Each structure stands twice: as C-alpha cells, then as structure tokens.
C-alpha cells in the first residue's frame, strides 16, 4: 500500500476523495464545513449524533494532508473495526494498542516509521508511552484526532483520566491540527473539552441531534414477550437489540425467543468474558440476528445495520435512552425503536432511587420524571428528545413517530367505548387503575376480579369488541382529554366533572382506535427516505447478502466492512450491470470496486438475465445536494419548470417529501413560479379550499394542527400541506 498517490503529483479535493475512496456522492450536513476548517489548520470541536458521520471529518483531511494522522480512541474493539473498514477502502491505516503481540506491535511501529501509514489509531495510554512518543516526534504529524472526546471531562458519563493528559501531548505537537469529536453535547462537557484542548468557540461545529431515519414508538406494556414476538414478525432476518433492566430478564427473554426459533444471544455482565465476546462478535458478523442485553451492551458496537432497538423495560433517563436507540440505523436506512412502557417499571426504578441519598437521589428522580413524561406524552416524540439536547424540532409533525403518525390518521367516533369505560370506572367505585378496568370490560377471570366481585358488575364483559391494547389506548385518550383523572401514585382512575358531563349529554366524542395490535400498522414504512429502500428486489438482495457474508468470512471481518446494507439495497434497486453503473452506488469506492466489483456484477447480471430485468438509471447526485440543502435544489428545479412528478422521479421520493422541500424553500424567502401545479394536487372543492385559505388568514400558517382542529379533522394533513403551499405561494 503506497502512500505516494496521496502525497504528491495530484492534488485531490475533499469531493474527489469522498467519491473515489469512500464511494459517496455528497457530504452529510456539516462534514464539508468541518473539513474546510481542518484544512485551514484550525483546531476543531465536532459534536454530532451517532451516525452523523464523524469519522469522515478526520479521515478525509488525513488523506489530504502530507503527513500522519493519529486518532485517539478509547475502545480497542472500535479501533480494530475502523481500521478494517479503512483498509477495505484501500486506505493505509493501522492501530497500536495493548491487544497486539510484540511482533505485531513491532511490525506496526516499523510501518509507521517507514511512512507507509496515513492513519494510526492508538489508545490514549499507548500514546503516553515514551516509545510511541519518540516515534511520533520523528515524523511529520499533521492531525491529532481525539475520538470520544467527552472522556476528557469529569462531567461526562465516561471520564477517563488518561484523556486528561492528552492536553500535554497536544502541546508537544504544536504544528499538528487537533480535532475533538463526540456525540455528547451537554454544555459542561463541551466547555471542558474546549478549555482542556484550547479550542475556541468559533471552531465548534454541532450538527442536529435529530435522527430522521429512526421511527420512534412507545407502547403501553401489557404482555411484553408477546408484544416483542409480534414486533419481530416485521423484522425477519434483520439485526436488532433488545434492552432489558436486569440480567435475569435478559436470560429469560433470550430463552423465550430462542424457543420460538429466533437466532438470539444474551449479553450482560454476569456472563464470562469469553462468552460475552463471542455473542457480540456473532451479532456483529450477522451470524446471530438478535442480542438481548442489559445496558452493558453497545459501547464498542459500530454495526451500522441495526434495524430495531426494543426497550423491554424503561430506561433510567432520556440520555441513555437516546444513546441506546441511537445504535439503530447508523447506515441511514430506516430503523424502528420501540419502548414498552409501564408504570410498574418506573416504580421499580424508584425503589432503587430510594436507596440513594441526596443530591443524587433528587437528580435521579428528575431524570426518571422526564423519562415518564416522555413515555406518556401525546405530542411528537422528537420534540422532548431534541429539547433535552437544547435543540428545537422545526415543524409540527415529524411523520416518523407514533404520535405524529396517529395525528395524521383520521379520527373515528369513540363515543360508545368512552361511555363504557367511564361507566365501568364509576361502577367499580373509582378505586382502580386502567389495567383492571380493562380486565372488567373484557370479562377476564382473575383473582382481583373475584376478590372484588367485579364479575357481578353490569359492565363486566361488555367490551369484548376491542383488545386490551385498544382499551388501554382509549383510556389514555380519556385522560388526555380530561374526562378521566389519574392519581399519580397508584394510577387510580376517577371520572372528572367533564367526564360526567360527557356521559350525561351523550355528546359525540372523536378519537383513535388502534389497529388490534399497534405494531401491525405499517408505520415504519410510511416514510422511506429513498425509493431504493422501499422497492429494492428482496430476492436479489438476499443473494448479494449471501455473497457479502462469504467474502467477509473469508477475510475474517464483519460483513459491513465489505459493503453496507445501503450499498446492497441500491444494487438491488438499480440493477447496475457495468463498472460505471456499479461505481454509482453509494459506498462503492474505487478500491472496493476493484476488489469485489466483479463478484457482485456477475450475480446481478445473472439475476437480471433470468428475470428479464433491465438496469435502471440512477442520477448521480450533485455534491452540494446533500439532504440539508436539497430543498434549494428542489425549489430551483420547480421554478425552472419541472413538474412535481418529475421531481418525485428525479429524487426518488414521494409527493409529501417534495411538498416539504417546497415549503421550506418558500419559507426560506424564495418565490415559487406558480401555484397551478400545486392546487391540482388537492382533492377539495374550490369552496372548501377557500375555507382553508380563510383559516390560514385568521390562524396563521406556521402550525397546521390548529387548522386541522378547526375543521375537526375533516381536512387531512396532506390536503393542509398542499393548500398551505398554495397559500404561501399566492401571498408572495
Ligand atoms: P459516527 O461516528 O458519527 O457515529 P460514522 O462516522 O460511523 O458516524 O458514520 C455513520 C455511517 O454513515 C457510516 O456507515 C458511514 O460510512 C456513513 N457516512 C458517513 N459520511 C457519509 C456520507 N457523506 N455519505 C454517505 N454515508 C456516509
Ligand atoms: Zn413526531
């Protein structure tokens, strides 16, 4: 592996490296800005959510600089993983840490000394040893990248004393640029990193913590194992993590799933190191589909194709929850996060909190309360999560959380179920929680029913038309609407004055009735970021995946080191049959093409021949066209005369996405050519449209919910979005 092609002769740009080495068409938000800053040799702090693409921000500069880049990383497993991925891309990278034999250590030292290496990964304690130190002093060190930089701060959740000393190391290499990277964003930690490494505010880059590709759902926990099994039906052969509170729960659930024929392994601190390691490795290599784990699992995991994360029990606080769901969908394809919530779990955590002393105790309570508020909330899930990181979610309906999707669905008449529920609460003397009320309505037989003689109530068994989870959902809606009151300690329900009024007046009540089992809703599929994800050829994908696994096993690396799922999904959507076609797939760099291209091309060609399928053209995306700025490109193309249909085809997205882009375009102050094409999308009569425009006049057009409510849900959100766009267009 020669370095010369990076050193001399040609002067590559970040764009060419992105395309030829990494195989990507465009930068993710902020990546380009960060790279420019580093190229200008300014010390830089990078704060990005997991999956945001931090690594690329030092890897690209590393390939642009003439000298060596040293990457400090605290986790040996991650180091190995990164190096494997880089080597698969043809980038000369190595690591030095305590896991190496003395021969390997020496060999790696020699390679670095001979200038054969562009990126050297080291553990912080290794960097502090005199041998490494003198080695580095003899070389041209251009960039010092400190990954997981929050480990510097005592205020962080993962303080490591060796990290503190990195400040000295940094000072000894004054000509090197220093980068600090982390996914932890609390103000205190940030300030600590900046002061320790002497980075100025001007050089701080923080990207959004919003992970658009995660579908977020919270479901009341009734029969969690059953709910999990049900959920898994939609994730055949797909990787996922299930988090449990206790080791015992981990073992039990792993057993239960395994008995049902799932490919699953447990992971917790009670297992032997070797077994834990084996289980993790099997998961990473796609030999095992599911890991059931305590929170001990995940730190060293870089697996990009985790398609779901289930919280079987309530997490302690929002920060850990967000970190855990963040392990899903790093590859940018959609992933589903499900939290099973019960008040009982909160009580369990409370029990542990009670053993602590203040101020820890009250802090823990605050965290828990924030968590339960989140789980019980009826608004967009993204808002409180982003709020926690000091970010405001723009817009009013994210379209990819359970509550927002529910808001988009039409409301139905729930008067009768509401009356049944309220009467049942009254008949049982307002002394029980929702679960028991539902048991009565369903005519269940259990001890508690017998003890209180509730089978003798007139409301016993009158609610068999709905399922338990549907009734629980109704109950929550009644609480949210103020018809029921829920006492906080024991969750006892009582009927409010408003509830009594509703019973008496027999006034109609609108609300939602879930599908019999909530996960059956095709919600995760509602908004696929790209077409290739939605309509790739599943059979071809499986063939490609098998090939990938074979190649990965042969080189003893995880499959994602060969290609990501996204690369395979694109191949199975566009059926490329030539070198150019294949190079156009995301993640297909030159070296990867040389190594694996033929293998995959021959599979695709054979498959297409057999099934008479032709290659589909994939428009190369323009470099500037990253997701963050796409609305500009869409708006400009529309103004240049392209129709909505053209745009949908070109960007391989649905009409909703185009409307969102155009709305952003116009809200950013740009005029749109005309509303004619847009109004044609509406199915309302001109009179109805007029009514909606009037409502925008009086209520404003920033938030759609008030308008939706104004029309009592009779005008759906799709219509409102179309009409808002026309309205804004006309106003200009
Ligand atoms: P982080 O370290 O911030 O969690 P990574 O650096 O691991 O994120 O990147 C997450 C995923 O996104 C990786 O699979 C990476 O290859 C991919 N990625 C990074 N930058 C881009 C890009 N510009 N275009 C497409 N994929 C990218
Ligand atoms: Zn939402």
């Amino acid at each position: 592996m020669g370095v010369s092609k990076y050193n001399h002769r040609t002067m590559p740009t970040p764009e060419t490296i992105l395309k030829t080495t990494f195989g990507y068409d465009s930068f993710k938000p902020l990546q380009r800005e960060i790279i420019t800053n580093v190229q200008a040799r300014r010390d830089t702090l990078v704060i990005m959510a997991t999956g945001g693409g931090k690594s690329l921000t030092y890897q690209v500069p590393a390939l642009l600089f003439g000298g060596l880049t040293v990457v400090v990383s605290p986790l040996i497993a991650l180091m190995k993983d990164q190096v494997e991925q880089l080597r698969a891309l043809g980038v000369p990278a190595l690591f030095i840490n305590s896991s190496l034999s003395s021969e390997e250590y020496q060999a790696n030292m020699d390679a670095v000394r001979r200038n054969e290496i562009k990126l050297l990964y080291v553990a912080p304690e290794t960097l502090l040893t005199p041998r490494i130190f003198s080695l580095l002093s003899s070389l041209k060190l251009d960039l010092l990248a400190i990954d997981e930089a929050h480990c510097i701060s005592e205020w962080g959740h993962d303080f490591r004393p060796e990290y503190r000393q990195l400040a000295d190391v940094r000072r000894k290499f004054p000509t090197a640029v220093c980068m600090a990277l982390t996914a932890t964003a609390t103000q205190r930690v940030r300030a600590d990193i900046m002061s320790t490494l002497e980075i100025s505010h001007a050089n701080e880059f923080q990207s959004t913590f919003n992970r658009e590709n995660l579908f977020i759902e919270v479901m009341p926990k009734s029969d969690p194992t059953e709910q999990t099994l049900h959920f898994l039906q939609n994730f055949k052969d797909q990787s996922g993590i299930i988090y449990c509170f206790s080791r015992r729960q981990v073992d039990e659930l792993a057993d239960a799933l395994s008995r049902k024929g799932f490919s699953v392994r447990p992971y917790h601190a009670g297992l032997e190191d070797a077994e834990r390691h084996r289980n993790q490795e099997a998961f990473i290599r796609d030999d095992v589909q599911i890991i059931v784990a305590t929170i001990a699992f995940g730190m060293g995991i870089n697996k990009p194709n985790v398609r779901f994360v289930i919280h079987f029990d309530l997490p302690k606080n929002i920060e850990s929850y967000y970190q855990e769901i963040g392990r899903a969908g790093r590859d940018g394809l959609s992933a589903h996060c499900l939290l099973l919530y019960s008040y009982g779990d909160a009580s369990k955590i409370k029990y542990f909190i009670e053993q602590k002393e203040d101020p820890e105790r009250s802090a823990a309570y605050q965290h828990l309360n924030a968590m339960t508020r989140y789980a019980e909330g009826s608004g967009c899930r993204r808002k409180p999560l982003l709020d926690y990181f000091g970010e405001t979610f723009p817009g009013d309906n994210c379209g990819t959380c359970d509550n927002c999707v529910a808001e988009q669905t039409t409301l139905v008449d729930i008067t009768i179920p509401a009356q049944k529920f309220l009467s049942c609460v009254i008949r049982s003397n307002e002394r029980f929680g929702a679960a028991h009320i539902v048991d009565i309505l369903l005519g269940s037989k259990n001890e508690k029913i017998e003890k209180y003689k509730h089978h003798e109530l007139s409301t016993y068994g009158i609610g068999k038309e709905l399922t338990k989870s549907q009734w629980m959902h109704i109950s929550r809606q009644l609480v949210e609407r103020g018809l029921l009151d829920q006492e906080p300690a024991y969750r006892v329900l009582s009927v409010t004055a408003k509830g009594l009024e509703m019973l008496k007046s027999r006034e109609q009540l609108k609300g939602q009735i879930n599908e019999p089992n909530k996960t059956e809703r095709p919600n995760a599929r509602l908004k696929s970021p790209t077409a290739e994800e939605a309509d790739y050829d599943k059979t071809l994908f499986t063939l490609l995946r098998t090939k990938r696994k074979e190649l990965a096993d042969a080189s003893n690396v995880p499959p994602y080191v060969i290609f990501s799922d996204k690369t395979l999904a694109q191949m199975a959507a566009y059926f490329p049959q030539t070198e150019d076609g294949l190079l156009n797939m995301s993640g297909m760099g030159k070296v990867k093409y040389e190594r694996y291209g033929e293998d995959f091309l021959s599979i695709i060609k054979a498959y297409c021949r057999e099934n008479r399928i032709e290659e589909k053209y994939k428009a190369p995306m323009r470099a500037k066209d990253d997701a963050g700025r796409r609305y500009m490109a869409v708006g400009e193309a529309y103004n240049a005369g392209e129709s909505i249909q053209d745009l949908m085809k070109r960007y391989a997205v649905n009409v909703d996405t185009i409307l969102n882009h155009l709305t952003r375009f116009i809200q950013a102050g740009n005029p749109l050519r005309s509303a004619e094409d847009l109004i044609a999308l509406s199915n309302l009569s001109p009179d109805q449209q007029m009514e909606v425009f009037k409502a925008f006049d009086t209520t404003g057009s920033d938030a759609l919910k008030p308008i939706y409510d104004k029309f009592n849900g009779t005008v759906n959100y799709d219509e409102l979005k179309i009409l808002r766009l026309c309205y804004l267009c006309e106003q200009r």
Side-chain angles (χ1 to χ4, degrees), residues 414-626:
I414 57 164
T415 317
I416 306 269
Q419 286 172 347
K420 287 183 179 178
F421 200 100
L422 296 174
S423 328
C424 193
V425 171
I426 294 173
R427 303 267 165 203
S428 52
N429 296 323
E430 310 190 308
R431 287 173 52 200
F432 300 90
H436 184 68
I437 301 294
V438 173
D439 279 341
I440 303 176
L441 288 167
L442 290 175
S444 312
K445 297 188 173 67
N446 63 37
E447 249 175 63
K448 202 164 166 186
I449 299 257
E450 303 229 325
K451 179 171 166 200
Y452 293 100
K453 297 202 184 317
H454 283 162
H455 51 285
E456 292 170 8
L457 294 180
S458 60
T459 51
Y460 183 74
I462 59 166
K464 289 182 181 160
E465 71 278 17
L466 297 180
T467 65
K468 183 157 189 160
S469 90
Q470 288 175 321
W471 276 117
M472 293 300 284
H473 185 215
I474 300 254
S475 154
R476 269 188 297 151
Q477 294 177 65
L478 298 179
V479 174
E480 275 160 19
R481 307 269 180 95
L483 303 175
L484 279 174
D485 193 35
Q486 190 165 38
E487 174 268 331
Y490 297 96
R491 315 245 109 188
V492 168
L493 295 174
S494 56
V495 178
T496 61
K498 192 170 165 198
L500 287 174
E501 185 55 35
M502 188 255 159
L503 268 178
K504 256 190 267 156
S505 69
R506 307 191 169 262
E507 163 195 337
Q508 199 199 42
L509 187 68
K510 290 219 164 197
Q512 297 155 16
I513 297 188
N514 280 339
E515 299 286 310
N517 206 320
K518 212 171 157 194
T519 39
E520 252 163 280
R521 243 178 16 212
N523 43 21
R525 320 258 174 277
L526 277 185
K527 269 204 180 173
S528 298
T530 53
E532 67 250 20
E533 213 188 314
D535 350 296
Y536 65 83
D537 186 311
K538 305 291 180 298
T539 317
L540 177 56
F541 184 82
T542 308
L543 293 173
L544 298 171
R545 193 164 69 168
T546 309
K547 184 72 197 171
R548 176 178 70 175
K549 177 71 177 142
E550 186 189 309
L551 293 168
D553 285 348
S555 352
N556 196 25
V557 293
Y560 58 79
V561 167
I562 310 284
F563 285 124
S564 70
D565 280 13
K566 186 166 182 174
T567 311
L568 299 192
Q570 288 201 348
M571 290 185 209
Y574 295 104
F575 311 99
Q577 324 234 335
T578 60
E579 172 171 353
D580 279 350
L582 202 61
L583 278 170
N584 213 356
M585 302 295 105
S586 168
M588 183 69 69
K590 268 221 156 60
V591 172
K592 284 205 171 168
Y593 176 79
E594 281 158 22
R595 287 192 193 159
Y596 311 115
E598 283 303 322
D599 281 326
F600 287 85
L601 269 184
S602 63
I603 295 177
I604 301 170
K605 280 189 201 158
Y607 184 81
C608 290
R609 230 178 4 252
E610 252 168 58
N611 297 286
R612 297 174 188 281
I613 298 173
E614 286 192 17
E615 175 164 357
K616 279 192 210 154
Y617 175 66
K618 174 175 181 280
M621 280 203 255
R622 275 182 292 131
K624 268 273 169 58
D625 218 27
D626 61 51

Side-chain angles (χ1 to χ4, degrees), residues 120 221 258 287 366 452 470 478 530 538 610 634 655:
L120 173 66
K221 182 165 165 179
S258 162
D287 290 327
Q366 270 178 24
Y452 293 100
Q470 288 175 321
L478 298 179
T530 53
K538 305 291 180 298
E610 252 168 58
V634 172
V655 65

Side-chain angles (χ1 to χ4, degrees), residues 380-382 397-401 404:
C380 177
R381 304 278 179 206
R382 283 192 155 68
N397 190 303
C398 79
T400 44
C401 77
C404 285

